[in-house]
Amino acid sequence: MPRSALAALLLGLLCACASTAQEAATPGPRASFWFATYPDFLTQFDPVTDQVLRKVKLRGGMFWDVELAHDERRMFVVTSQQTKIEVVDLQKGEVVDEHGFAEEGFVIRVRSLLEVPGGAKWYVRIDRVKREIDRFSFEPSEWLLYDLATRKVEKRQKELPKALRGGARISPDGRSWHVSTEDGDLAIVDPATEKETARIDLHTPRFAGAGALRFSGQDLLFGRDPVRYRALFTSSDPIEKNRSTWGVMEIDLVSNRVAQVTEWGVDPGAWGLQISANGKRAAAMSGGFGERSERGARLRVFDLETGKRLAEAYEQFRPRRRLVAIAPDGSKFYVGVAGSDLEVFDAQCRRLKTVEFDGEISGQIHVVHD
């Protein structure tokens, strides 16, 4: 072989190796887990090393509810016997603000919080108990529209606005509400007027014999793309009612339409999936929360690019255990609740280890993307 040709071949091999090495060294999406631990902490956990990174002590004692802000930079925690909401800055790792809802002559309990698009206001649901001379009088629950800047309640109402009652979520661009309608569509609602401005049709059959698309609410892009959803869906066969399929659909949020649908086959009945930060893997668990069988709980791992099941196993757990999280790259997943530990399994559903904490874990594990 001529020297020039040999040199060109070697150069090509070196470039290919360098390219492969660069791809291997390119890190995937990173994320950390944030969750509440008794008695009064928010805990940051690294799913790569399975180590606690930080613990943030709350000012008002025990937590009652924890919500992650849309921008993933803050968490809102109900404390002080459910009369205050503390704002935790996740970058600083500290409480940076408090908002109180106590009222003279009443026992107030903050039950839930719904962030309004734009991040300047909240909808806060409270229970009110009036202190009488000889008794307590229970009054109807209220939804408060609360302004963070002025620290004032702008409006009191018995229910959320009608346009938001179908299960409202903030759109990926942070400007609108996305709400599921009674017929299964996705409505776009203006937060200023609380009026529907557009609708994404999911119920009209795509072709003769096709069923409606049911948006699972699980965006494989985690709201990181402001102009589209890549979302899981299920669809019931209009003839064989007990048969459902599943797959992934692309929703164009500029033209407000379904841009692409990919069906994977029969629905495996694995909702409640924990989806990896790269959107490529999911883990599911069934039969574990309060149910017992001879084989135990069923663990499964799915490929979310093809819909194929990659692994399956059965494991015995103590009561009230469930799947709570999956690693950002999908290489392992975690089973927890009802205890101060997480049981770790690899992508083949094989038990790896148990991670112990110095306080019991409570509520949802929130995935915060770096």
Side-chain angles (χ1 to χ4, degrees):
M1 180 182 293
R3 289 187 178 181
S4 58
L6 181 60
L9 177 61
L10 290 174
L11 180 60
L13 289 173
L14 287 173
C15 290
C17 291
S19 176
T20 302
Q22 184 176 4
E23 290 178 4
T26 302
R30 286 187 56 86
S32 58
F33 298 160
W34 282 86
F35 47 86
T37 52
Y38 283 100
D40 53 2
F41 292 98
L42 280 185
T43 297
Q44 183 186 16
F45 179 79
D46 182 5
V48 176
T49 63
D50 289 333
Q51 298 290 324
V52 171
L53 299 177
R54 284 184 294 183
K55 293 180 68 177
V56 180
K57 187 172 179 61
L58 302 168
R59 295 176 184 174
M62 193 175 77
F63 46 83
W64 295 87
D65 185 37
V66 180
E67 300 290 342
L68 178 63
H70 180 263
D71 61 12
E72 295 191 0
R73 297 176 182 175
R74 297 162 294 153
M75 297 191 90
F76 310 128
V77 189
V78 177
T79 64
S80 301
Q81 296 184 323
Q82 295 178 273
T83 63
K84 290 184 179 180
I85 297 176
E86 299 186 26
V87 179
V88 178
D89 186 305
L90 301 185
Q91 294 296 321
K92 296 179 180 178
E94 62 184 37
V95 177
V96 294
D97 204 356
E98 296 178 65
H99 297 267
F101 294 87
E103 295 181 30
E104 184 83 27
F106 289 88
V107 177
I108 299 297
R109 297 287 183 261
V110 175
R111 296 304 190 188
S112 61
L113 176 151
L114 183 62
E115 186 183 13
V116 176
K121 297 180 182 181
W122 296 331
Y123 275 111
V124 180
R125 186 173 70 86
I126 64 168
D127 287 344
R128 304 171 80 239
V129 181
K130 188 175 182 179
R131 291 190 178 98
E132 306 280 7
I133 294 176
D134 58 346
R135 67 188 186 279
F136 290 100
S137 299
F138 290 84
E139 299 200 348
S141 297
E142 290 184 338
W143 280 95
L144 311 178
L145 180 58
Y146 179 80
D147 187 282
L148 277 71
T150 63
R151 299 176 180 270
K152 292 182 179 180
V153 175
E154 292 188 350
K155 188 188 302 183
R156 292 176 177 267
Q157 47 203 48
K158 293 181 180 179
E159 296 183 86
L160 277 175
K162 186 176 180 180
L164 305 181
R165 294 176 198 168
R169 59 190 289 158
I170 299 177
S171 62
D173 65 7
R175 298 177 181 177
S176 307
W177 292 112
H178 283 179
V179 187
S180 297
T181 66
E182 291 182 357
D183 55 5
D185 292 340
L186 201 61
I188 291 84
V189 176
D190 185 333
T193 63
E194 295 174 349
K195 301 293 184 182
E196 183 178 324
T197 59
R199 182 175 289 212
I200 299 171
D201 184 358
L202 301 178
H203 77 276
T204 301
R206 292 164 286 136
F207 50 83
L213 300 173
R214 290 193 297 270
F215 178 43
S216 72
Q218 294 173 298
D219 177 19
L220 304 188
L221 305 173
F222 293 91
R224 294 192 295 265
D225 191 329
V227 299
R228 68 181 177 126
Y229 283 131
R230 179 174 170 79
L232 296 175
F233 74 89
T234 57
S235 181
S236 295
D237 190 309
I239 306 300
E240 295 186 32
K241 303 292 186 180
N242 62 346
R243 180 181 181 273
S244 294
T245 57
W246 77 317
V248 64
M249 60 181 171
E250 297 272 349
I251 299 179
D252 186 332
L253 298 178
V254 177
S255 59
N256 292 324
R257 65 183 182 88
V258 177
Q260 183 179 346
V261 176
T262 303
E263 276 193 306
W264 290 331
V266 177
D267 176 15
W271 298 116
L273 296 174
Q274 293 291 334
I275 298 171
S276 62
N278 61 15
K280 296 181 178 181
R281 295 288 183 273
M285 174 180 171
S286 59
F289 201 88
E291 299 179 20
R292 291 178 177 272
S293 67
E294 292 185 1
R295 291 192 297 178
R298 185 185 186 188
L299 304 174
R300 285 176 288 175
V301 174
F302 294 91
D303 183 332
L304 295 184
E305 294 182 309
T306 64
K308 293 182 179 179
R309 185 183 64 199
L310 300 177
E312 179 178 273
Y314 288 84
E315 281 283 342
Q316 294 287 348
F317 297 100
R318 64 180 187 267
R320 298 175 54 217
R321 301 292 272 181
R322 63 177 172 83
L323 179 70
V324 293
I326 185 171
D329 61 358
S331 62
K332 53 189 173 181
F333 59 90
Y334 302 80
V335 174
V337 181
S340 57
D341 65 306
L342 292 175
E343 298 174 67
V344 188
F345 293 79
D346 69 11
Q348 297 303 311
C349 300
R350 296 175 298 208
R351 187 182 293 271
L352 294 176
K353 58 186 173 181
T354 299
V355 180
E356 293 282 351
F357 300 89
D358 57 6
E360 185 169 340
I361 301 168
S362 177
Q364 178 183 353
I365 290 182
H366 297 271
V367 180
V368 178
H369 302 88
D370 296 344

